């Protein structure tokens, strides 16, 4: 599994967390069964770091996101876009080993895969506010 695939799994876990409001470790275990290759443990650690980090800082991340979106209340954002933005903002603020460009590009790539045609551009605009 690659870091991109691990980020995809982390996104799905964050998306689910937004609805349930609780972490479900059994979901991590289910996804972990798909991990393979020499980086399996690193990928699993990354997924756990993102999932646990977003859950732990959920209110803070939502506040940051709320201040960053223009003309939208958080509740009006597409849930997929919101989950992607929460993941990317967490990486930008707390995971110093991941460069800003990587976090932004990966969020945009996932938006193209899972969200609407306009979402990638919107996510890029929101995340550009965090560029150094």
């Amino acid at each position: 599994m690659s870091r991109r695939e691990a980020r995809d799994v982390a996104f799905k876990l964050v998306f689910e967390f937004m609805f349930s409001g609780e972490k479900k470790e059994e979901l991590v275990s289910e996804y972990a069964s798909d991990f393979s290759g020499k980086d399996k443990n690193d990928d699993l650690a990354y997924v756990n770091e993102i999932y646990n980090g977003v859950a732990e800082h959920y209110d803070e991340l939502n506040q940051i996101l709320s201040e960053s979106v223009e003309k939208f209340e958080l509740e009006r954002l597409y849930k997929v876009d919101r989950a992607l933005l929460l993941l990317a903002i967490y990486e930008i603020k707390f995971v110093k080993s991941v460069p800003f460009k990587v976090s932004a590009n990966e969020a945009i790539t996932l938006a193209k895969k899972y969200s609407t045609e306009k979402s990638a551009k919107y996510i890029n605009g929101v995340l550009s506010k965090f560029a150094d």
Side-chain angles (χ1 to χ4, degrees), residues 7 11 46 54 61-62 64-70 74 77 80-94 98-112 118-132:
R7 191 175 278 105
F11 154 70
Y46 176 77
V54 171
L61 294 169
N62 274 300
I64 293 167
L65 181 57
S66 179
E67 293 167 1
S68 302
V69 295
E70 295 178 11
L74 285 184
L77 284 177
V80 169
D81 296 355
R82 186 173 173 185
L84 290 169
L85 286 164
L86 290 172
L87 187 152
I89 292 169
Y90 176 80
E91 278 189 329
I92 291 164
K93 288 197 60 66
F94 297 101
V98 178
F100 166 80
K101 279 188 164 189
V102 172
S103 294
N105 287 338
E106 292 294 329
I108 291 164
T109 299
L110 287 169
K112 289 176 181 177
K118 296 180 180 180
S119 292
K121 185 176 180 180
Y122 181 75
I123 286 171
N124 185 47
V126 172
L127 292 179
S128 69
K129 296 173 184 175
F130 296 95
D132 294 328

Side-chain angles (χ1 to χ4, degrees), residues 5-65:
E5 293 167 318
R7 191 175 278 105
D8 190 303
V9 169
F11 154 70
K12 291 173 185 172
L13 291 166
V14 168
F15 184 77
E16 191 281 329
F17 177 81
M18 287 174 43
F19 288 96
S20 70
E22 62 184 68
K23 289 186 345 188
K24 297 183 179 176
E25 296 302 325
E26 66 275 9
L27 291 178
V28 177
S29 298
E30 286 177 32
Y31 283 117
S33 65
D34 293 337
F35 290 11
S36 62
K38 65 179 180 149
D39 295 328
K40 175 181 178 177
N41 290 334
D42 290 341
D43 293 336
L44 182 57
Y46 176 77
V47 168
N48 275 308
E49 177 183 2
I50 298 301
Y51 184 41
N52 292 326
V54 171
E56 180 181 330
H57 297 279
Y58 188 70
D59 292 336
E60 177 185 357
L61 294 169
N62 274 300
Q63 181 62 38
I64 293 167
L65 181 57

